[in-house]
Amino acid sequence: MDQAIYLATLVGTALVLAAAFSSLIAFRFGAPLLLLFLAIGLATGQDGLGIQFDNAPVAYFVGSLALAVILFDSGFGTPVNVLRQAGLPALTLATVGVAITAVVFGVAAHYLTHFSWLESFLLGATVASTDAAAVFFLLRAGNINLRERVRSTLEIESGSNDPIAIFLTLTLVEIIAIGVNPEAQLLFTDLVVGFFVTMGLGAAVGMLGGFAIARLVDWLNLDRGLTPIFVLTLSLLVFAAAGAIGGSGFLAVYLAGMVAGNSDIRGAAALKRFQGGMSWLAQIIMFLVLGLFATPSQFPGLLLGAITLGLFLIFIARPLAVWLCLKPFRLPSAEVAFISWVGLRGAVSILLAITPLLAGLEHGRLIFNTAFIIVLVSLFVQGWTVGPLARRLGLIVPHRAGPIEKVELELPGSAHHELLSYRVVPGSPVLRGERLPRWARPSLVVRNGGSMKFPDFGKLMAGDRVYIFVHDRYPALLDRLFTSRVDVDPEDAEFFGAFAVDPDRPASDLEAAYEPGLTEAEQKMTIGELFLSRFGGHVEYADRLNLGPIELIVRDMDEKGKITAIGLSFEPTQPQPLVPENLRERLRALFGRGDGTMSSRVSDEA
Amino acid sequence: MGFGRSGRERILGMDLSDLIEVQAIMPALKANSKKQLLQLLAERAAAITGLPEREVFDTILQRERLGSTGVGNGIAIPHGKLPGVKSITGVFARLETPVEFESLDDQPVDLVFLLLAPEGAGADHLKALSRIARVLRDPDTVAKIRGTRDAAAIHALLSDTQTSHAA
């Protein structure tokens, strides 16, 4: 018995270590890391080194728990203000988008494979949700600073679409397992009613749970080392409780994370670090287990069909769903194109594909294998191209500030202050004569190994390390003062526009100079106000406003969100069309009149 | 924003010879201030187009109020629309000593391309401005212009930047 334990642990740890090491390689080459984990699982599985693992219930159980951990972490790290900005488009994608993807894909699957209609839709449901964990890893690895709205939309979508795909899959599995062929209408009512009950219960338990987690952490004042474990356990409790009463555990745990993470929870930084680590571990374990569980020797026969389906999903089903869902929000077509492309499928799809096996469906193995290949196709094709595409579409915000050397220390017992430590770097504004605000007076300066107090240190010098106690609202401003200057890349110069425009000048001046076609009312505003009004009152750094022949770009904002500098470009970004022009025409004919928001932005250079 | 870069260059071209003539180039101008610089440019533009100097000066000054046309790296591209201009007309000055121009990067300016366009030139005007900005973004071209006091040489550099830019 002992020997078995040692052996299992040995194999398990070796696998996790191999995966962890492979992350180094992935960071180097920008390869989709999750593909690597999956590959390690496959390579050591029964068709590779020969580890026998064919236990569907265990694979599903482990995968579900891992997913719960990941979802809690991703909810915890999603700030609520992001919801305001991207919530509606993202939630539309996560609900309607998932349904459209599943249905469109299901129709194709029915004609391309031998699956029945229900089985085809089941396959569609398993691959309908996106796995953005993979994407964000890629973006981070490539040091890609994505535009905020795009990032938020993708983040919220990926966090919230899993529960819906899970719900669809489980319902379809049940229906097929019962074996009767239900009437379409009955099926539809069943789905809709079931949807609201499951999601409603999940949401209720999740919100309550998140609130409870935050309060408990505050009340109990546990040992600092224990708190993260406590929170992790509570999150799994929320997951289980919601599931036990018939709600969506996955939605519950995601929402619980979001509520807890946004509620000034004690020790948030430590919790984030811990959960980040757990999230990694969960990803690794989930992919390893799923890789081990698959049997590639069964693939060859269905390879062609599955790859075709994978490509159909990437090039038709997902873009169509995204385009339909985002149409009402009038996002720039570059953003729509990017969001379409970042429909990476991942562990959740494979996990869901196990459920037909669990239910003992006739074609369960076949469904699992097909879904598995589709995920591989997606990780290969999309995983490798996300970074370059973002660059091509101009969605990357160039870094305007150099690195800062900063350490944040959380203060025990303090509600709203933190201790920041910066190293004064050459070329930073503080050295170029910018004054530190009164509230940011350094409490201590370490210079040449000696420590000095105010006012003994006099003027700050390069190489000084300063310690500042500051209210937690202000660090962003301080970062600016301590950041080193970067030279703007020529390409970046274009990103922010070659010319400058004063946001406080009247917009009528702009009309006089360039005839962008402003309305009478708009000409009475300042240029800054014009920007705000066209953006519905909320503008962020690097936002672009297309005004016919010219384009305005937010170059800088102050900490209160007021635009302080605007760039002017005469080469409005004209992203290339997402789908071939004639196909778009046909689609438009199919779905009635287009209002031209997409077509008017299509490049005439393309 | 790397997309379509080569395509855009193919369409826009990197050749400014249609915008500027040799006699519109001032290869060693001396000016003490932004205002004086704009006045000297307006003077030369007036001589070429036959328009009143004052009108040209007011037009470009009006545009400067909207925000400096100093694009950084010592380069400025003042511009404006005038009813009396027959075609898009450029004037170029290389300054002996740089003057303060309120540029974004706070660097004083020593290379100035003034562009005047007829009322209603619309897109052509803006495309010409992008082309100028693009040509003057090429470090090679700019270094060579700074290194010469010969109007014809500067004109040649502005006209033929394809080879240097392709590198």
Side-chain angles (χ1 to χ4, degrees):
Chain A
M1 188 61 207
D2 272 4
Q3 282 306 313
I5 292 176
Y6 291 138
L7 198 64
T9 312
L10 205 61
V11 172
T13 47
L15 285 177
V16 173
L17 281 178
F21 277 123
S22 71
S23 72
L24 296 175
I25 303 172
F27 269 113
R28 254 239 156 96
F29 298 107
L33 184 64
L34 304 181
L35 198 58
L36 264 173
F37 296 168
L38 212 50
I40 293 175
L42 283 174
T44 48
Q46 63 192 71
D47 285 337
L49 294 180
I51 297 177
Q52 292 291 334
F53 178 73
D54 200 23
N55 192 331
V58 169
Y60 187 68
F61 176 67
V62 171
S64 298
L65 280 188
L67 183 59
V69 170
I70 294 166
L71 282 175
F72 185 77
D73 178 46
S74 91
F76 199 87
T78 306
V80 165
N81 60 4
V82 156
L83 262 186
R84 246 171 281 157
Q85 205 186 104
L88 222 49
L91 290 179
T92 313
L93 282 174
T95 50
V96 184
V98 167
I100 295 176
T101 311
V103 169
V104 172
F105 180 90
V107 172
H110 181 68
Y111 289 109
L112 284 169
T113 63
H114 304 295
F115 291 135
S116 70
W117 275 110
L118 278 177
E119 285 167 338
S120 301
F121 287 130
L122 170 59
L123 183 60
T126 60
V127 296
S129 77
T130 63
D131 188 326
V135 179
F136 289 102
F137 170 78
L138 274 181
L139 296 176
R140 225 174 323 156
N143 198 15
I144 294 167
N145 193 6
L146 206 58
R147 298 235 19 221
E148 203 179 316
R149 183 168 55 193
V150 180
R151 172 184 292 275
S152 314
T153 308
L154 286 168
E155 254 174 3
I156 301 175
E157 184 206 359
S158 64
S160 55
N161 69 5
D162 296 340
I164 285 119
I166 292 166
F167 165 77
L168 277 179
T169 309
L170 294 183
T171 313
L172 284 167
V173 167
E174 264 173 47
I175 291 170
I176 299 174
I178 293 169
V180 286
N181 219 343
E183 284 174 44
Q185 203 184 343
L186 213 65
L187 176 64
F188 188 72
T189 352
D190 229 36
L191 276 174
V192 171
V193 172
F195 175 81
F196 282 107
V197 171
T198 320
M199 294 301 151
L201 282 174
V205 174
M207 305 265 214
L208 280 176
F211 185 71
I213 289 174
R215 297 311 296 267
L216 276 174
V217 168
D218 267 1
W219 277 343
L220 293 181
N221 202 4
L222 290 167
D223 180 85
R224 227 187 297 167
L226 196 54
T227 308
I229 305 286
F230 182 63
V231 170
L232 181 72
T233 316
L234 285 177
S235 72
L236 291 177
L237 179 67
V238 169
F239 167 69
I245 61 165
S248 162
F250 295 101
L251 180 66
V253 76
Y254 178 68
L255 284 177
M258 197 180 267
V259 171
N262 281 289
S263 61
D264 269 341
I265 194 167
R266 189 212 309 263
L271 280 175
K272 257 183 205 152
R273 266 199 302 279
F274 175 79
Q275 280 160 10
M278 287 308 292
S279 226
W280 267 106
L281 185 63
Q283 293 273 7
I284 291 176
I285 291 179
M286 178 146 79
F287 271 82
L288 282 177
V289 166
L290 296 176
L292 276 176
F293 182 71
T295 321
S297 57
Q298 299 169 347
F299 290 175
L302 39 110
L303 214 50
L304 191 67
I307 291 178
T308 314
L309 276 175
L311 295 176
F312 177 84
L313 177 67
I314 293 171
F315 289 104
I316 298 174
R318 164 84 179 172
L320 182 66
V322 169
W323 181 61
L324 286 173
C325 287
L326 295 184
K327 215 164 140 40
F329 301 103
R330 293 164 176 268
L331 295 181
S333 48
E335 295 183 15
V336 176
F338 187 70
I339 292 171
S340 299
W341 193 251
V342 186
L344 249 85
R345 314 292 134 168
V348 179
S349 297
I350 304 179
L351 186 65
L352 285 177
I354 298 180
T355 54
L357 284 171
L358 286 177
L361 298 195
E362 188 191 348
H363 293 127
R365 230 335 144 172
L366 214 52
I367 292 177
F368 175 81
N369 285 340
T370 312
F372 197 97
I373 298 171
I374 291 171
V375 170
L376 286 183
V377 170
S378 164
L379 284 175
F380 252 111
V381 175
Q382 293 168 311
W384 239 299
T385 51
V386 162
L389 184 79
R391 248 182 225 112
R392 250 173 95 81
L393 291 173
L395 296 176
I396 294 180
V397 183
H399 293 278
R400 303 222 57 199
I404 34 177
E405 288 189 47
K406 169 178 146 180
V407 180
E408 284 170 83
L409 293 176
E410 219 174 304
L411 303 176
S414 149
H416 291 295
H417 275 70
E418 42 191 306
L419 175 59
L420 298 179
S421 165
Y422 292 94
R423 181 173 290 281
V424 179
V425 291
S428 55
V430 274
L431 280 188
R432 283 185 284 121
E434 205 73 49
R435 285 196 335 176
L436 278 177
R438 225 169 12 164
W439 45 260
R441 180 176 292 156
S443 305
L444 187 74
V445 170
V446 178
R447 182 179 296 161
N448 301 330
S451 47
M452 292 178 228
K453 288 198 159 278
F454 179 82
D456 304 342
F457 48 78
K459 263 184 90 130
L460 291 179
M461 303 201 290
D464 283 357
R465 187 165 267 290
V466 299
Y467 291 84
I468 304 172
F469 283 99
V470 65
H471 194 280
D472 58 11
R473 278 212 309 270
Y474 298 134
L477 176 66
L478 279 183
D479 285 356
R480 268 179 215 212
L481 290 174
F482 284 97
T483 182
S484 56
R485 201 185 173 116
V486 284
D487 289 326
V488 179
D489 190 84
E491 287 287 304
D492 293 358
E494 186 151 310
F495 187 93
F496 289 103
F499 295 90
V501 163
D502 182 346
D504 296 328
R505 295 292 301 179
S508 54
D509 281 10
L510 203 62
E511 183 66 33
Y514 305 111
E515 297 164 29
L518 303 177
T519 64
E520 290 280 323
E522 283 175 331
Q523 292 193 34
K524 294 199 179 89
M525 303 175 179
T526 67
I527 297 169
E529 288 165 356
L530 167 72
F531 217 119
L532 271 172
S533 100
R534 288 271 183 124
F535 267 72
H538 177 87
V539 177
E540 51 174 278
Y541 173 63
D543 266 338
R544 307 177 81 87
L545 171 59
N546 202 320
L547 293 171
I550 63 171
E551 192 166 35
L552 300 181
I553 304 107
V554 177
R555 280 188 192 228
D556 217 345
M557 308 186 65
D558 63 15
E559 63 274 21
K560 293 190 196 99
K562 184 179 178 295
I563 304 174
T564 53
I566 290 181
L568 169 66
S569 167
F570 301 127
E571 298 176 40
T573 39
Q574 294 173 321
Q576 279 149 4
L578 167 56
V579 279
E581 192 60 7
N582 57 348
L583 180 62
R584 290 153 66 84
E585 292 305 328
R586 261 182 270 157
L587 284 176
R588 200 171 296 137
L590 203 63
F591 293 99
R593 80 292 161 288
D595 60 4
T597 43
M598 295 274 284
S599 60
S600 68
R601 285 170 164 270
V602 171
S603 163
D604 33 15
E605 295 167 23
Chain B
M1 293 206 336
F3 72 83
R5 185 173 179 136
S6 57
R8 202 156 47 197
E9 274 167 24
R10 200 174 55 242
I11 288 153
L12 297 174
M14 297 300 291
D15 179 357
L16 305 181
S17 60
D18 56 329
L19 302 176
I20 190 159
E21 294 164 30
V22 179
Q23 80 253 30
I25 289 172
M26 299 184 275
L29 191 67
K30 287 193 177 75
N32 296 322
S33 66
K34 176 173 179 178
K35 192 174 168 210
Q36 195 197 357
L37 171 58
L38 293 179
Q39 265 164 350
L40 292 169
L41 287 165
E43 195 178 296
R44 178 62 63 99
I48 294 170
T49 58
L51 291 167
E53 185 192 322
R54 186 78 216 167
E55 210 173 295
V56 177
F57 178 70
D58 286 347
T59 304
I60 53 180
L61 197 64
Q62 179 70 21
R63 170 60 188 84
E64 290 304 314
R65 287 204 190 100
L66 191 57
S68 170
T69 55
V71 295
N73 297 323
I75 291 156
I77 312 175
H79 55 271
K81 283 183 305 182
L82 274 167
V85 184
K86 285 193 192 65
S87 64
I88 298 183
T89 307
V91 173
F92 184 85
R94 177 188 157 282
L95 272 68
E96 288 291 295
T97 43
V99 299
E100 189 47 55
F101 209 86
E102 302 156 68
S103 290
L104 275 171
D105 59 357
D106 296 326
Q107 278 190 47
V109 155
D110 64 345
L111 299 181
V112 191
F113 200 121
L114 165 68
L115 193 78
L116 297 177
E119 199 74 51
D124 288 344
H125 177 205
L126 304 181
K127 278 192 183 142
L129 283 171
S130 313
R131 269 159 63 192
I132 298 166
R134 191 165 284 278
V135 167
L136 294 178
R137 203 177 285 156
D138 178 41
D140 249 21
T141 307
V142 169
K144 283 181 190 151
I145 293 176
R146 288 199 167 115
T148 176
R149 280 203 181 83
D150 178 28
I154 293 178
H155 188 262
L157 283 165
L158 291 174
S159 302
D160 181 33
T161 50
Q162 244 124 5
T163 42
S164 68
H165 197 84

